[in-house]
Amino acid sequence: MVGADVAIPAGLTEDQAAARLAADGPNELPSAAPRSLARQAWDVLREPMLLLLLGAGTVNFLLADVLEGAVLMSFVVVVIGISIYQGHRTENALGALRDLSAPRAQVIRDGTRVRIPGRDVVRGDVIWLAEGDRVPADAVLVDSVNLTVDESTLTGESVPVRKRAVRAGEPHTMGPPGGEGTPWVFSGTLVVKGHGVAVTLATGGRTEFGRIGTALRSIEQEDTPLRREVNRLVVVLAGIGVSAAAAVVVVYGLTRHHWLEGTLAGIGTAMAMLPEEFPVVLAVFLALGAWRMSKRHVLTRRSAVIETLGSATVICVDKTGTLTMNAMTIADLYAPACHWRVDGSPLPEAVHSLAEFGVLASPIDPFDPMDRAFQELGARDLSGTEHLHGNWTLVREYPLSDHLLALSHVWRSPDLTDYVIAAKGAPEAIVDLCHLADDQAAAVAAQVDVATAGGRRVLAVARARFTASGDLPTEQHDFDFEYLGLVGLHDPVRPGVAGAVAECATAGVRVVMITGDAPGTAMAVAAEIGLDTGGGHLTGSQVAAMPVEELAARAGTVAVFARMVPEQKLALIRALRANGEIVGMTGDGVNDAPALRAADIGIAMGRRGTDVAREAAALVITDDDFGSIVGGIRRGRGIFDNLRKAMSYVIAVHVPIVGMALIPAFVRGWPLVLLPVQIAFLELIIDPACSVVFESEQIDPQIMHQARRARDSRMFAGTTLLVAVLQGVSSLVAVLGVYLWAMHSGRPDDTVRSVTFATLVVTNLLLILVNRSWRLSLWGALRTRRNVTVKWILAGGAALLVMLLNVAPLRRAFRFGPIGAVDWVISLLAGCAAVTWFEFDKLRRRRSSVVSATGE
């Protein structure tokens, strides 16, 4: 029921509404025309990695190696399918936003209240709002009775805010979300208490939700640094490979006058130099990494972000619903003679009346989270006592007003002759109702200051009696209230958050809190979870007023940002990225979506998160546990560590393959060693080794104690590239040495080819073993790291090699010759010699780290 003295607008006619709908468009967010399936496929195919896969597959088909060509082509199909699916899911963010911002609505049309789809609401429509309704458009209230709205999806504030009707003479214009006692309601927010009538001022893209949608469309996704690096490397190596292959064909044809064999040697060179394993490894690692992370409550919507997660330097955390439970609970009861911290133990008698009348001043079936907190306290701690009154009757309610921020419930007991009145509200309002003396009011104010400094939201409670023979007064002030005390409520911190924050600090990852709540509440929660509060805090208004350079500087030291709105969150994310940080952003509300999209790693909460947040994010935490984010960082670091070892192995193993494909081609009289069919066989070992064996490696237990990577660090640079090249060169020296030994010992060309090929395969398998860990020895890794795939690759590779060199039909098909026991021994010894230096280098580094740790 609306106020009796309020003139409700008559609303629009159907003709007026139709004209405005045609002029302004439907009440939903505009969306770009969807890309066709062919356009999505073309956008994916333009990536250099997939072009390389297509080229390698085509070469294999031309060589009649149908199996290898089919395998490569299948990777192309799978990667295209995954990319299109992920792109389609990403583009659903605006669709989810449209669904949330356009619920059904009750409006007045032609003087009659009707329910219409939210998309049909237009400017000037008169909207009826009741408890549980979602507001369909931005509007100004012309009437309000005890109306409270949850605006957390827009502001991040955990506590619903009270609304009032616009006053006479006030302009009918919109203001910003958030804050108590404003007359504006916003599309997509939720009415949690009371009812009201509002006139629509903005619909569709002109609402606050519409501004968020515009921000989402303006933020373009960037490739991860690793993907850009691999793309560049693939293009360079592909160009070098094609040039080298052409050179081999020309030189071989001119010097030996065998153009057909020269063409075959050129194709072999191209196959040796085209590192098709790079895109395969990257695709497999990210796909299987996403699957493994899903087992630990982290769903990956864009798999490329996994390697970025492992290099995160800052995690920006939305407080409400992420660090906290987003569910108010009663934490403290302040009776005049007793302060009781609610911890699950029985309440003392001194606070029973305070709890009892707090429950009586709450709705019987509450929707508001603070009212629910009172009901839960009563059900848990007053059950079985005389302080719960299931048989009492609610006679009258006195609602909150602009002049008195308190409400009262009048109850009638079958056992009492008088009415019992329970009141709760803002402490200053209850002090006013109880007519406390100045010294008593000052004592209450001091107690309120103590509670709010601890991050509590404070309400006061009072009681009164009124003779049942008289008429109830028109105002609450006419009751003779007795002050009972204060109740401190808070949004509790999620279990395990403090430990997760500490682990982030150990890993060199800074945690920054971003919230729409008040600074005092934010600082209290920050202290509770162990955030560094030495830099103080910044509010949204301060952030908005700062120059970009100053914000970037302050963002490096401040860990708490309060009263933040979407534009300010977005500005903070951009400032952190300008500082060179790799930024992860967690959130669950619509207000978080632009920052989630702009961050390097957008992380949405799965249970409490809105569809908009989940669609805008790259990762979704299904259990809403901040600890799962830390687990994701650990897994991301482990994936990158294993990926680096796999890529290093690919580089190392290609050096001897390229060398033995090129060197004999440029020296007249030397037999060719690696023909296309033999290189294809090597690929059958290399591909599963680098994409399965290394992906299945256990994560190093020390991974979170290792220095985090810089934003501009490269996988193929510094020590990593040097070690890979040295492994490849030492392998090439060993294989070339065996080749020269076999050739100068007078063995036939096909036997020379067999011995050299055997050495190359042995070296290949040993490179797998030594690269499993760059910290543990080969034997240490075999003993302590379980990896079933290693056994299968070693056994399968060795068995295939023995079959190729000993089964006559296979030997002839691969143009090999028979070899003896001495040849086998030489191949094994040469392979071991090629990798032994790396084992000594690992031993040296382990001893060095021990000396550093002990200070000796």
Side-chain angles (χ1 to χ4, degrees):
M1 178 185 296
V2 298
D5 58 343
V6 176
I8 302 302
L12 303 175
T13 66
E14 287 294 346
D15 291 340
Q16 289 173 325
R20 293 190 182 184
L21 185 63
D24 296 343
N27 180 30
E28 59 187 12
L29 295 183
S31 60
R35 293 183 301 164
S36 66
L37 187 63
R39 177 57 187 269
Q40 293 181 57
W42 172 245
D43 289 342
V44 174
L45 278 171
R46 289 188 300 174
E47 293 191 11
M49 291 191 301
L50 285 180
L51 291 175
L52 178 60
L53 280 176
L54 283 172
T58 302
V59 167
N60 279 277
F61 272 123
L62 291 176
L63 293 171
D65 190 349
V66 178
L67 176 60
E68 182 75 6
V71 170
L72 290 173
M73 290 301 188
S74 68
F75 273 115
V76 174
V77 173
V78 170
V79 172
I80 291 175
I82 291 174
S83 300
I84 291 176
Y85 174 72
Q86 289 176 338
H88 176 71
R89 291 283 295 168
T90 299
E91 291 177 354
N92 283 343
L94 293 178
L97 192 57
R98 287 195 300 272
D99 292 340
L100 186 59
S101 62
R104 295 187 65 81
Q106 289 190 74
V107 300
I108 297 177
R109 293 278 176 87
D110 292 321
T112 304
R113 193 193 312 181
V114 295
R115 186 174 291 274
I116 62 172
R119 69 187 309 274
D120 293 339
V121 173
V122 298
R123 285 180 302 109
D125 262 329
V126 178
I127 309 169
W128 288 72
L129 299 172
E131 186 173 299
D133 285 349
R134 195 169 291 278
V135 181
D138 287 5
V140 62
L141 288 163
V142 295
D143 183 65
S144 170
V145 178
N146 206 25
L147 187 69
T148 305
V149 180
D150 179 358
E151 295 184 347
S152 61
T153 56
L154 282 174
T155 66
E157 289 194 50
S158 57
V159 179
V161 292
R162 180 181 55 84
K163 295 293 181 179
R164 64 168 175 83
V166 66
R167 299 189 179 102
E170 280 188 309
H172 284 210
T173 56
M174 296 299 298
E180 288 280 341
T182 62
W184 314 298
V185 290
F186 297 90
S187 173
T189 58
L190 185 66
V191 178
V192 298
K193 183 188 293 184
H195 47 269
V197 179
V199 177
T200 302
L201 298 182
T203 61
R206 291 167 292 279
T207 64
E208 284 293 315
F209 267 30
R211 295 174 61 193
I212 293 174
T214 300
L216 283 177
R217 289 194 300 275
S218 67
I219 300 171
E220 296 184 0
Q221 295 294 308
E222 298 180 1
D223 276 344
T224 64
L226 177 60
R227 185 174 289 272
R228 291 195 295 269
E229 183 180 356
V230 171
N231 282 346
R232 288 193 299 267
L233 184 65
V234 162
V235 171
V236 171
L237 291 181
I240 294 174
V242 171
S243 301
V248 166
V249 173
V250 173
V251 171
Y252 198 98
L254 292 177
T255 58
R256 305 192 188 190
H257 307 291
H258 292 292
W259 290 97
L260 182 59
E261 289 188 9
T263 302
L264 199 62
I267 293 175
T269 301
M271 292 182 64
M273 296 194 71
L274 289 178
E276 66 266 23
E277 296 88 4
F278 283 153
V280 172
V281 168
L282 193 56
V284 170
F285 265 69
L286 296 183
L288 292 181
W291 174 75
R292 293 184 191 279
M293 291 179 76
S294 70
K295 299 289 186 180
R296 300 179 183 274
H297 311 292
V298 182
L299 296 182
T300 306
R301 297 190 59 254
R302 291 188 288 274
S303 60
V305 83
I306 291 176
E307 60 96 3
T308 313
L309 179 63
S311 60
T313 60
V314 175
I315 298 293
C316 294
V317 186
D318 180 65
K319 178 187 73 68
T320 305
T322 305
L323 296 176
T324 65
M325 300 292 292
N326 196 20
M328 299 299 290
T329 62
I330 293 177
D332 296 277
L333 296 171
Y334 300 88
C338 174
H339 170 207
W340 182 256
R341 178 67 55 85
V342 178
D343 57 5
S345 57
L347 298 181
E349 188 62 36
V351 297
H352 275 186
S353 293
L354 175 58
E356 172 188 4
F357 279 84
V359 173
L360 288 173
S362 304
I364 297 173
D365 186 17
F367 194 83
D368 181 88
M370 288 193 292
D371 290 336
R372 287 202 303 268
F374 277 97
Q375 292 290 355
E376 290 167 2
L377 177 72
R380 184 181 66 244
D381 295 319
L382 298 180
S383 179
T385 72
E386 71 277 12
H387 298 289
L388 280 185
H389 309 287
N391 61 341
W392 285 20
T393 303
L394 181 62
V395 177
R396 181 169 176 175
E397 300 179 50
Y398 292 88
L400 291 165
S401 69
D402 292 341
H403 308 292
L404 186 67
L405 298 180
L407 58 84
S408 297
H409 286 179
V410 181
W411 295 89
R412 185 68 181 268
S413 166
D415 303 323
L416 299 176
T417 57
D418 293 338
Y419 294 112
V420 175
I421 301 95
K424 72 175 182 185
E428 60 274 17
I430 297 298
V431 165
D432 183 22
L433 284 177
C434 295
H435 307 292
L436 296 184
D438 290 346
D439 59 335
Q440 294 174 307
V444 171
Q447 207 168 34
V448 169
D449 290 340
V450 171
T452 53
R456 305 291 190 248
R457 185 174 177 87
V458 181
L459 297 176
V461 178
R463 67 181 173 188
R465 286 204 177 207
F466 188 79
T467 177
S469 58
D471 294 334
L472 289 171
T474 57
E475 294 185 0
Q476 300 176 69
H477 266 297
D478 294 331
F479 295 112
D480 186 14
F481 279 106
E482 173 192 358
Y483 177 75
L484 294 178
L486 301 174
V487 178
L489 299 100
H490 79 140
D491 187 2
V493 169
R494 288 184 175 277
V497 164
V501 169
E503 189 171 356
C504 281
T506 301
V509 180
R510 194 162 67 97
V511 178
V512 173
M513 179 195 296
I514 305 177
T515 179
D517 267 344
T521 302
M523 291 294 284
V525 173
E528 186 176 354
I529 65 175
L531 282 188
D532 179 10
T533 56
H537 67 269
L538 287 176
T539 63
S541 58
Q542 291 172 317
V543 168
M546 280 185 183
V548 175
E549 297 78 10
E550 183 181 356
L551 176 58
R554 293 295 303 275
T557 58
V558 176
V560 178
F561 292 82
R563 293 298 189 199
M564 297 283 281
V565 298
E567 294 84 355
Q568 295 152 5
K569 292 184 181 183
L570 195 55
L572 176 60
I573 295 297
R574 287 172 171 163
L576 288 168
R577 295 191 68 195
N579 284 343
E581 305 281 8
I582 299 178
V583 184
M585 166 72 189
T586 72
D588 58 3
V590 173
N591 62 313
D592 299 320
L596 288 171
R597 180 68 68 86
D600 295 284
I601 313 143
I603 310 168
M605 299 296 107
R607 289 182 179 175
R608 296 181 181 273
T610 61
D611 287 344
V612 180
R614 288 193 290 268
E615 292 291 344
L619 300 175
V620 177
I621 308 301
T622 59
D623 60 355
D624 287 10
D625 187 350
F626 185 67
S628 295
I629 299 174
V630 179
I633 293 174
R634 187 187 308 110
R635 173 65 61 178
R637 288 191 175 188
I639 289 171
F640 184 87
D641 187 48
N642 289 337
L643 183 59
R644 183 192 61 187
K645 290 183 286 190
M647 294 290 195
S648 298
Y649 162 77
V650 171
I651 292 175
V653 82
H654 269 274
V655 171
I657 294 175
V658 171
M660 296 313 297
L662 282 174
I663 294 174
F666 285 99
V667 181
R668 188 170 183 176
W670 286 17
L672 293 178
V673 177
L674 294 179
L675 304 176
V677 67
Q678 293 151 5
I679 295 176
F681 173 82
L682 285 172
E683 296 295 339
L684 291 178
I685 298 177
I686 296 171
D687 287 351
C690 60
S691 59
V692 176
V693 172
F694 290 105
E695 195 283 327
S696 301
E697 276 299 309
Q698 295 180 2
I699 294 176
D700 191 333
Q702 301 296 317
I703 198 70
M704 292 296 277
H705 297 277
Q706 297 175 7
R708 53 181 172 79
R709 293 183 292 120
R711 184 182 188 91
D712 57 352
S713 65
R714 294 186 176 183
M715 175 175 288
F716 306 107
T719 304
T720 302
L721 185 60
L722 177 62
V723 168
V725 171
L726 287 177
Q727 286 181 347
V729 170
S730 63
S731 299
L732 174 59
V733 169
V735 175
L736 182 60
V738 171
Y739 171 80
L740 293 174
W741 168 81
M743 188 173 56
H744 289 293
S745 65
R747 285 167 169 75
D749 288 354
D750 55 358
T751 300
V752 171
R753 189 177 297 117
S754 295
V755 178
T756 307
F757 186 78
T759 306
L760 189 56
V761 172
V762 170
T763 305
N764 188 343
L765 296 176
L766 288 172
L767 281 173
I768 295 172
L769 293 178
V770 299
N771 278 293
R772 289 183 62 204
S773 174
W774 284 21
R775 185 172 58 87
L776 300 176
S777 67
L778 183 153
W779 301 112
L782 284 173
R783 188 176 62 255
T784 61
R785 301 273 180 88
R786 297 189 59 186
N787 189 339
V788 178
T789 60
V790 171
K791 299 176 182 178
W792 286 105
I793 293 296
L794 292 178
L800 285 173
L801 177 63
V802 171
M803 289 174 60
L804 285 181
L805 298 182
N806 289 280
V807 178
L810 290 176
R811 192 168 62 225
R812 287 192 297 270
F814 280 80
R815 298 174 65 177
F816 289 137
I819 64 174
V822 173
D823 300 323
W824 280 110
V825 171
I826 294 295
S827 297
L828 289 171
L829 291 177
C832 291
V835 300
T836 300
W837 72 269
F838 188 50
E839 288 299 298
F840 281 108
D841 184 62
K842 287 194 283 187
L843 177 62
R844 177 191 61 80
R845 284 187 276 119
R846 285 199 302 274
R847 288 178 175 176
S848 176
S849 64
V850 170
V851 171
S852 299
T854 58
E856 298 177 356

